[in-house]
Amino acid sequence: MAACVVTTLRRFPLAIHHHGNLRNVQLVQNAPHKNASTLLLQRTRSSVQISRPVKTGVCTCTCSQLQKNHGSLKSKEPFLISSNLAYTTSSIFTGMQDQVFKSRSDTIFGSQSLYNGFVVAPLMHAPNSTRSICSSVPLTNIHRNRTPGGASSNQLTGPHLLRGTPSRSLFGLPDRSAWASAIAEAEKIVGYPTSFIGLRCLLSDELSNVAMQVRKLVGTKHPLVKTAKNLVYDGKHNIQTRGLIILLISKAAGPSPKGTDNQSMVRGIYPSQRTLAEIAEMIHTAFLVHKGVVNIRDLLPSDGPRSVMEFGNKISVLSGDFLLASACMGLAKLRNTYVVDLISQAISDLTEAAFMAFSEEGAEPGATGRGQLPLPNLGVADWTRYVYLSSGSLIAKSCRAALELAGHGEEMQKCAFEFGKNIALAQQLHQELQLFTAFNGSPTSFSLTSAPVLLHLEGSGNRDRVSNQTKLDMKKLHREIRAGSAIAKSQDLCRTYAESARLAISEFPQSEARDALLKMVKAVS
Amino acid sequence: MATFMWLQNVGLLRQIRLSLPRNLRLCLKKINSTSDKSISTTCCRCGLSSTVASSNCKGRLRTNNRYLYSRCFSTNSNVFPKETCSPEKLTQDELASLHGNICKELITERRSLQEVAQYYFDGKGKAFRPMLVLLTAGACNSHTHGANRQLLDTQRQIAMIAEMIHTASLMHDDVIDNADTRRNKTAINEKWGQKKSILAGDFVLSVSSKVLARIGNEEVVLILSQVIDDLVRGEFMQLGSKEDENERFSHYLKKTFMKTASLMAHSCQAVAVLGKCSDEVCQIAFEYGRNVGMAFQLIDDVLDFVSSDSEMGKPTSADLKLGLATGPVLFAAEKFPELDALIMRRFSEPGDVERAREAVAKTDGIEQTRYIANKYSQEAKRQISQLTPSPASQALTELSQRVITRLK
């Protein structure tokens, strides 16, 4: 089934560069309205330029619609377009082996992957841009190909994604949840979407080199391919929000109380704070990449040839190291050793989390269970510790560091830390709860180490009863948890975290940045 | 030859000359006549321009002896008795506690992480970098603040950090290169699996940057971040090879700087900065570290060809097997252009490694690489001779010599 969903990213122009041997199409979107977007189709082939608006409905249109309106898009193939800043575009299209895709995009890492037949390749065009950052994680679409094992389900959230039809390709609609709209508004406040990796970094020779190498991995089972795909679209809206929260709290805290030193604020945020947000994103990404390193010895024959996996490891290690090294350089240039200390601690915490029982194969929150109960003594306290180490610490310490960079006092810094920590916990718990409370949540896609499960097991006698089963019945467990008190307990816990986060910034002066943060808190409570 | 001048000035030279054995006295006479001809290297960050390195190296080999004389001269000309100034003697107390201190820093709640992270810090490594850093710190301190100046705690920490950064990079390298053994024990990736090795490497790195941050000197943080950046870039440079011959050699030297010399150069510079030395002295420390580092790695590349597995504690011909063309092969390729194809395909076809080894054996690639290493070592000595003589600076001179004469 051919389908195309064009989602537009709010205020940002969308550019689709489609270099084909049959046509050369450029879609340029200008000034989208809040709901409906207009696409302009420019045919640049043989120097004819036609600019016609395309009615797109609510931020989406299908390939057939495009075709109806414009005979020029002859492709029956589905293609998916995501957007970014004017100079960054991701496009996914499939099945066009003969397409000549000549652009700088070939050389961008993290963005080139072939996932179930889809090439993901953002174009980087920043010839005269002075902006030092770019975003390449737009909100667009997710492609999900149902494999017999259902292995990809862990990347999907939101009920609409679980309603998938078993067609070859399925694009979900953009997440219009409270969380998504909270983010959308928050992004406006900080000026432009949070960076994810510095443009300078993306355009460097080193990463171009990696991108060339990543191509060889396309179509293999190495986790790097999946990570790269998730960088382009992260199902949880998780990747970007890290930086966003840091920027918002920087803005909410306001200017330096000691008077500005040599920095001047841009839209209420110091350049050093923006760099810090960028660094936090880089560190997070580096860890995603490094966690994707596979143990060669544990490979099954079905995972593909050993040499490919070794090669994938090599590229994962190098690209993760590159991101970490760039982050280190960026940190050092902030010229604040306390900030370096904080962020180094956050990196240590991330590695510690990776060594916890939660990170064992298949036990990561969000991963599908393997029919085995987690370690018998794992409780909610461990869950809290794990979530803190694996995501809370980086956000919390970056928030603290952001305020340190502006010269705010210890009190404010502590509040920022508490806020970051609690919103991370609330967000994770909220996400895990979705799988149980959503109208038609899949009864088997939850993780056995998610908080609702652990709370359920802590209930009287539940653990014994469940662990006595020879084969774990996921569906039954799901039913039990829904019927029991664990859900209510989880919701209480989630509200407690959200409340702590709210309280932490209640002393901050009233501002739209603070309101945006509060809205985000509300969305996850 | 600053030391030389200094010795002449204080009238010690006569004494020394008399105390020397006859053959060395001869050397000294010879050095007197040739000392001002000593070749100073030109260059960017890696010190040697490729044209200097690759052109007519063979012709220069004949003049090589000169450096051997100068070595006799410089190791014996100092006022400090040799036995108390050996690098080991001067640093043994510090080094004895080094690995214990590192392991202390690596203590964490997660036992499994701690175990992997501490695996390579068993005190059995050469600890070459910490030694270099500690001695440089000693030499810079006595130069700037007089002979009685003790090492600063922060300088000791730099020695620790240097070893940690080095080890973290080894942990990652072993995964990238699929190593089996390291320092005569099972390589980390074999023992714990790739994923844990990488994450533990990240952990060691983060702990080292924590220690670094707590020193509280922004400049030093910047200096050592540069090392991490260089290490990664060096690793990337290893991925590609250059077709053009001249470019290939400078690519090789640049890579050598980034992967090995950068850490030594910058950590030497860092201790000088912490010792509140003048910019000039910091620059000397940097240059010394850089030159020693370059010589160290070039000899490492030579040893990869000439020594056996058991001596090195890691497999030899490893570079070729990984597809890396190091100095000896690059020189051999000048004589046997057919090696170019092998270099470009990274010795990937069966028999390539053997063919390359044979070609190297037929040419003087090994000697030429040694020659360049020798030059770097000379430059390192020249740099250190600019500092006030002290036991530490004497040990540094010895260290720069030992780098090129070592067998493992």
Side-chain angles (χ1 to χ4, degrees):
Chain A
M1 190 194 107
C4 162
V5 183
V6 179
T7 323
T8 57
L9 182 65
R10 294 172 292 276
R11 296 146 286 123
F12 300 108
L14 168 76
I16 303 158
H17 301 264
H18 193 180
H19 305 272
N21 50 359
L22 290 172
R23 63 199 158 261
N24 187 357
V25 180
Q26 256 195 322
L27 289 169
V28 179
Q29 184 206 7
N30 57 353
H33 304 290
K34 216 168 185 182
N35 294 323
S37 317
T38 309
L39 284 174
L40 287 178
L41 183 77
Q42 292 182 317
R43 276 187 69 184
T44 51
R45 199 168 150 233
S46 48
S47 66
V48 183
Q49 283 215 347
I50 311 162
S51 297
R52 270 187 295 171
V54 184
K55 262 275 178 245
T56 57
V58 186
C59 290
T60 59
C61 73
T62 63
C63 201
S64 56
Q65 260 180 302
L66 273 175
Q67 275 172 28
K68 221 184 287 168
N69 294 336
H70 309 274
S72 54
L73 266 175
K74 285 173 198 136
S75 165
K76 287 245 165 68
E77 258 61 53
F79 70 101
L80 180 150
I81 301 119
S82 61
S83 73
N84 251 312
L85 297 184
Y87 46 79
T88 318
T89 307
S90 311
S91 55
I92 306 178
F93 51 101
T94 117
M96 301 181 203
Q97 306 293 338
D98 56 328
Q99 290 290 347
V100 191
F101 194 68
K102 277 194 208 118
S103 78
R104 187 78 177 115
S105 64
D106 292 47
T107 56
I108 307 302
F109 156 74
S111 27
Q112 167 136 43
S113 68
L114 202 134
Y115 183 72
N116 292 331
F118 281 74
V119 179
V120 185
L123 308 173
M124 309 295 293
H125 296 288
N128 41 24
S129 168
T130 50
R131 281 180 175 168
S132 67
I133 52 176
C134 76
S135 156
S136 76
V137 192
L139 47 111
T140 357
N141 313 292
I142 189 157
H143 161 246
R144 180 187 186 206
N145 194 354
R146 285 213 160 174
T147 49
S152 61
S153 56
N154 61 331
Q155 306 146 28
L156 305 171
T157 52
H160 56 276
L161 292 169
L162 300 166
R163 229 182 287 137
T165 54
S167 64
R168 192 191 162 274
S169 62
L170 166 93
F171 301 113
L173 297 173
D175 195 343
R176 285 264 148 242
S177 65
W179 177 250
S181 59
I183 303 244
E185 281 177 39
E187 278 184 344
K188 280 180 209 154
I189 293 168
V190 295
Y192 38 90
T194 39
S195 59
F196 130 67
I197 291 171
L199 187 61
R200 170 189 52 76
C201 168
L202 270 183
L203 292 176
S204 67
D205 283 351
E206 280 80 10
L207 282 191
S208 313
N209 209 336
V210 165
M212 301 303 284
Q213 313 281 342
V214 171
R215 286 178 145 190
K216 297 186 199 158
L217 287 174
V218 161
T220 70
K221 284 191 177 170
H222 198 279
L224 179 62
V225 180
K226 207 161 89 181
T227 310
K229 180 196 141 277
N230 282 350
L231 291 186
V232 180
Y233 176 75
D234 176 63
K236 296 171 188 162
H237 289 302
N238 240 351
I239 285 183
Q240 259 195 312
T241 52
R242 227 164 292 279
L244 189 59
I245 290 173
I246 297 164
L247 293 186
L248 283 172
I249 204 141
S250 304
K251 189 165 180 174
S256 167
K258 295 168 191 162
T260 44
D261 22 5
N262 41 19
Q263 296 192 73
S264 58
M265 280 182 148
V266 181
R267 298 190 74 147
I269 300 161
Y270 290 109
S272 61
Q273 292 170 322
R274 284 189 195 271
T275 313
L276 184 76
E278 203 177 307
I279 289 168
E281 292 289 0
M282 281 202 269
I283 290 172
H284 175 75
T285 312
F287 262 83
L288 285 182
V289 173
H290 272 178
K291 273 201 257 177
V293 170
V294 290
N295 287 331
I296 301 293
R297 229 182 313 165
D298 305 343
L299 288 180
L300 303 169
S302 61
D303 288 330
R306 188 188 150 124
S307 62
V308 170
M309 298 311 259
E310 277 177 4
F311 182 75
N313 271 355
K314 184 172 169 175
I315 298 304
S316 295
V317 174
L318 282 176
S319 40
D321 282 351
F322 182 79
L323 290 171
L324 276 184
S326 306
C328 268
M329 250 350 241
L331 265 183
K333 283 182 186 153
L334 293 179
R335 291 195 157 266
N336 185 322
T337 54
Y338 181 58
V339 170
V340 177
D341 189 5
L342 277 173
I343 303 297
S344 307
Q345 284 174 30
I347 300 178
S348 295
D349 288 348
L350 283 169
T351 48
E352 280 200 29
F355 275 77
M356 280 180 84
F358 284 89
S359 288
E360 295 299 324
E361 221 36 43
E364 221 157 47
T368 35
R370 292 230 170 141
Q372 276 171 349
L373 266 191
L375 292 176
N377 48 1
L378 225 48
V380 182
D382 302 296
W383 179 89
T384 314
R385 183 83 186 134
Y386 175 76
V387 176
Y388 169 69
L389 289 176
S390 67
S391 69
S393 169
L394 182 60
I395 299 181
K397 285 180 172 141
S398 309
C399 285
R400 190 185 174 122
L403 266 59
E404 159 75 20
L405 283 172
H408 291 291
E410 175 64 20
E411 271 310 302
M412 291 273 272
Q413 289 186 22
K414 259 191 193 146
C415 289
F417 179 89
E418 283 303 316
F419 174 80
K421 177 179 151 188
N422 283 297
I423 198 172
L425 286 162
Q427 199 195 344
Q428 178 67 33
L429 190 49
H430 182 72
Q431 230 168 59
E432 292 178 358
L433 266 169
Q434 291 291 303
L435 292 169
F436 293 96
T437 56
F439 169 62
N440 49 4
S442 154
T444 51
S445 63
F446 62 92
S447 159
L448 286 172
T449 51
S450 62
V453 179
L454 294 173
L455 279 167
H456 175 70
L457 292 176
E458 280 181 359
S460 57
N462 284 341
R463 188 182 292 273
D464 293 338
R465 206 173 56 243
V466 175
S467 51
N468 280 342
Q469 294 173 2
T470 38
K471 196 181 174 298
L472 193 61
D473 185 347
M474 293 289 279
K475 276 188 187 159
K476 195 175 158 215
L477 186 60
H478 190 259
R479 270 201 309 276
E480 276 178 26
I481 292 170
R482 278 178 75 143
S485 60
I487 298 292
K489 278 189 207 158
S490 307
Q491 280 165 340
D492 278 350
L493 193 59
C494 192
R495 269 191 291 272
T496 315
Y497 290 137
E499 182 57 21
S500 309
R502 203 185 60 74
L503 268 178
I505 51 167
S506 58
E507 293 296 306
F508 282 37
Q510 206 279 327
S511 68
E512 55 173 358
R514 197 190 72 163
D515 291 347
L517 285 172
L518 289 174
K519 217 169 256 176
M520 284 166 96
V521 171
K522 206 162 174 237
V524 294
S525 59
Chain B
M1 286 297 126
T3 331
F4 180 70
M5 300 302 288
W6 178 80
L7 287 169
Q8 262 184 336
N9 287 345
V10 290
L12 277 173
L13 195 60
R14 223 149 101 88
Q15 270 178 308
I16 291 167
R17 208 178 279 196
L18 288 174
S19 66
L20 287 174
R22 195 173 157 271
N23 57 341
L24 283 186
R25 249 180 277 159
L26 265 172
C27 300
L28 206 51
K29 218 178 242 172
K30 210 159 186 175
I31 218 64
N32 273 337
S33 61
T34 55
S35 59
D36 42 11
K37 285 187 206 156
S38 74
I39 300 158
S40 63
T41 48
T42 53
C43 180
C44 51
R45 292 215 296 164
C46 50
L48 214 77
S49 72
S50 57
T51 42
V52 175
S54 56
S55 67
N56 295 329
C57 267
K58 212 178 156 200
R60 296 242 175 109
L61 279 177
R62 258 175 270 122
T63 57
N64 221 357
N65 289 340
R66 188 195 305 163
Y67 299 105
L68 295 177
Y69 300 137
S70 86
R71 162 184 143 210
C72 298
F73 166 70
S74 51
T75 47
N76 288 288
S77 62
N78 281 312
V79 277
F80 305 99
K82 196 177 174 207
E83 52 276 14
T84 58
C85 294
S86 85
E88 284 80 12
K89 262 252 156 56
L90 286 174
T91 53
Q92 64 186 8
D93 295 344
E94 305 285 346
L95 291 181
S97 56
L98 179 92
H99 282 96
N101 287 341
I102 292 177
C103 287
K104 238 181 258 165
E105 293 290 340
L106 292 175
I107 288 173
T108 138
E109 256 178 82
R110 310 289 141 219
R111 297 290 304 177
S112 54
L113 170 60
Q114 191 180 325
E115 215 176 334
V116 187
Q118 291 177 346
Y119 182 63
Y120 276 151
F121 296 104
D122 53 359
K124 297 208 179 86
K126 284 185 293 249
F128 179 76
R129 289 158 188 84
M131 191 191 282
L132 184 77
V133 171
L134 290 169
L135 290 173
T136 308
C140 291
N141 284 355
S142 3
H143 177 86
T144 311
H145 308 283
N148 296 324
R149 177 67 168 225
Q150 295 296 306
L151 283 183
L152 301 169
D153 277 341
T154 53
Q155 290 174 323
R156 287 193 189 96
Q157 277 165 336
I158 296 292
M160 250 171 74
I161 291 164
E163 185 68 0
M164 285 166 93
I165 293 178
H166 170 63
T167 309
S169 82
L170 288 186
M171 289 159 108
H172 282 197
D173 281 359
D174 281 354
V175 172
I176 292 173
D177 303 343
N178 255 317
D180 308 318
T181 53
R182 157 94 54 195
R183 295 176 183 164
N184 290 322
K185 66 187 205 178
T186 318
I188 194 163
N189 50 316
E190 280 293 307
K191 184 149 174 131
W192 309 98
Q194 280 78 0
K195 188 173 173 178
K196 283 192 172 182
S197 311
I198 291 303
L199 292 167
D202 290 345
F203 177 71
V204 172
L205 192 68
S206 70
V207 172
S208 77
S209 82
K210 224 185 299 180
V211 176
L212 180 62
R214 287 178 190 167
I215 288 177
N217 186 318
E218 291 155 20
E219 197 182 343
V220 169
V221 173
L222 257 175
I223 290 172
L224 287 178
S225 309
Q226 183 64 50
V227 174
I228 296 166
D229 204 54
D230 282 346
L231 278 173
V232 176
R233 280 173 201 277
E235 199 61 56
F236 273 99
M237 288 181 80
Q238 248 178 27
L239 282 184
S241 36
K242 291 272 189 290
E243 220 157 326
D244 181 72
E245 229 175 69
N246 272 325
E247 215 181 315
R248 202 160 62 192
F249 208 87
S250 64
H251 187 262
Y252 165 65
L253 288 180
K254 202 170 163 203
K255 185 207 84 188
T256 305
F257 171 76
M258 289 193 164
K259 284 215 68 184
T260 313
S262 171
L263 174 59
M264 302 192 194
H266 286 103
S267 41
C268 287
Q269 188 190 6
V271 284
V273 170
L274 285 172
K276 301 214 163 34
C277 300
S278 64
D279 287 353
E280 211 175 290
V281 173
C282 294
Q283 192 57 30
I284 290 172
F286 177 88
E287 286 297 322
Y288 173 79
R290 178 172 69 76
N291 282 290
V292 167
M294 293 299 286
F296 184 90
Q297 186 57 46
L298 287 169
I299 293 299
D300 219 47
D301 294 345
V302 166
L303 291 176
D304 196 47
F305 279 91
V306 297
S307 67
S308 68
D309 290 12
S310 59
E311 261 177 85
M312 287 295 282
K314 56 184 178 188
T316 47
S317 283
D319 291 337
L320 286 178
K321 286 172 198 155
L322 292 172
L324 304 179
T326 53
V329 182
L330 294 178
F331 279 121
E334 279 178 14
K335 200 166 167 195
F336 297 109
E338 62 267 29
L339 279 182
D340 287 347
L342 275 72
I343 293 173
M344 287 317 286
R345 64 172 183 246
R346 304 177 71 85
F347 312 103
S348 54
E349 282 175 24
D352 279 2
V353 171
E354 289 72 27
R355 271 175 66 198
R357 275 193 83 109
E358 273 167 39
V360 170
K362 274 185 219 155
T363 60
D364 54 2
I366 300 274
E367 286 76 34
Q368 297 202 42
T369 312
R370 272 193 193 281
Y371 169 74
I372 299 179
N374 215 344
K375 257 175 64 169
Y376 278 115
S377 163
Q378 288 311 311
E379 175 61 15
K381 280 178 209 162
R382 196 183 67 77
Q383 291 290 345
I384 217 66
S385 67
Q386 300 174 51
L387 298 181
T388 321
S390 64
S393 73
Q394 196 176 323
L396 283 176
T397 314
E398 161 140 15
L399 208 57
S400 54
Q401 183 56 37
R402 208 183 286 172
V403 158
I404 50 169
T405 51
R406 73 199 174 110
L407 295 173
K408 64 173 271 185

